[in-house]
Amino acid sequence: MARMKFLCDAERCIECNACVTACKNENEVPWGVNRRRVVTINDGSPGERSMSVACMHCSDAPCAAVCPVDCFYTTDDGVVLHDKDICIGCGYCFYACPFGAPQFPKNEAFGSRGKMDKCTFCGGGPEPDNSPEEYARYGSNRLAEGKLPLCAEMCSTRSLLAGDGDMVSEIFRERVTWRGSSGFAWGWGVAYNKPGIRKGYDVGGKAAGAD
């Protein structure tokens, strides 16, 4: 069984916020709630990097560990979801999450924040798949349709990767390898027409990691 994971390649992210917009539109996320956001460090300085951040669907989720009512559950695909019928809006999950993923419609005290909302990996909720009730509360269930989260599919630079954790790590590992290869990293051989490099391929015919 696949273990679904996100990975954002900070070397490719251009802070276009297409992932944020895609998430908002696909799931009709309420105003004031951001399931995904782009964070920039060293803004305007050497070494500036941007990264798309949301719920990372941890294997040992700290949000689930601190929830006093056990509203969190993990699917067979490793997606961490929650039940809004059980959530009491205490906010413990927000303080426990290192990514700031849990969102609340109100910034108020215990029990009056409203029901927690977060990224579902486009996996819906406990209601029947693709039912109107599921969409109204949790947004689109693209996983049930055999699709990946729209945020990753809309990423123009393929910075945001989503899918089976083993495949995602393999893609990123190949990218890092090519970046460290002198002369071939990032497809410069193609861009500058270096001898011996065919378009999109290295001299051995292997795909040059253009994606």
Side-chain angles (χ1 to χ4, degrees), residues 174-199:
E174 184 174 352
R175 287 183 183 180
V176 172
T177 301
W178 276 99
R179 286 173 195 167
S181 302
S182 60
F184 305 122
W186 285 85
W188 292 122
V190 176
Y192 293 101
N193 223 6
K194 287 191 175 182
I197 305 295
R198 292 184 291 120
K199 185 175 182 181

Side-chain angles (χ1 to χ4, degrees), residues 50-174:
S50 296
M51 181 173 292
S52 180
V53 179
C55 175
M56 300 302 287
H57 302 277
C58 307
S59 299
D60 186 13
C63 55
V66 301
C67 180
V69 293
D70 293 329
C71 76
F72 291 93
Y73 62 99
T74 303
T75 69
D76 292 338
D77 289 327
V79 178
V80 179
L81 301 177
H82 69 293
D83 190 333
K84 290 188 177 183
D85 285 333
I86 301 175
C87 176
I88 58 175
C90 66
Y92 288 176
C93 55
F94 176 79
Y95 294 111
C97 177
F99 307 103
Q103 302 283 299
F104 292 87
K106 299 178 182 178
N107 294 321
E108 296 185 12
F110 181 94
S112 58
R113 292 185 175 92
K115 302 294 186 179
M116 190 273 283
D117 190 276
K118 75 172 189 69
C119 161
T120 64
F121 209 91
C122 286
E127 282 80 4
D129 290 346
N130 292 321
S131 64
E133 295 79 15
E134 181 188 50
Y135 185 81
R137 299 183 120 194
Y138 305 96
S140 177
N141 191 342
R142 293 171 59 85
L143 290 185
E145 301 171 2
K147 302 175 182 177
L148 291 175
L150 191 63
C151 56
E153 292 197 1
M154 291 297 291
C155 182
S156 58
T157 61
R158 296 296 183 265
S159 166
L160 183 60
L161 303 174
D164 175 65
D166 292 336
M167 295 183 66
V168 167
S169 63
E170 182 60 32
I171 292 171
F172 187 68
R173 187 181 300 111
E174 184 174 352

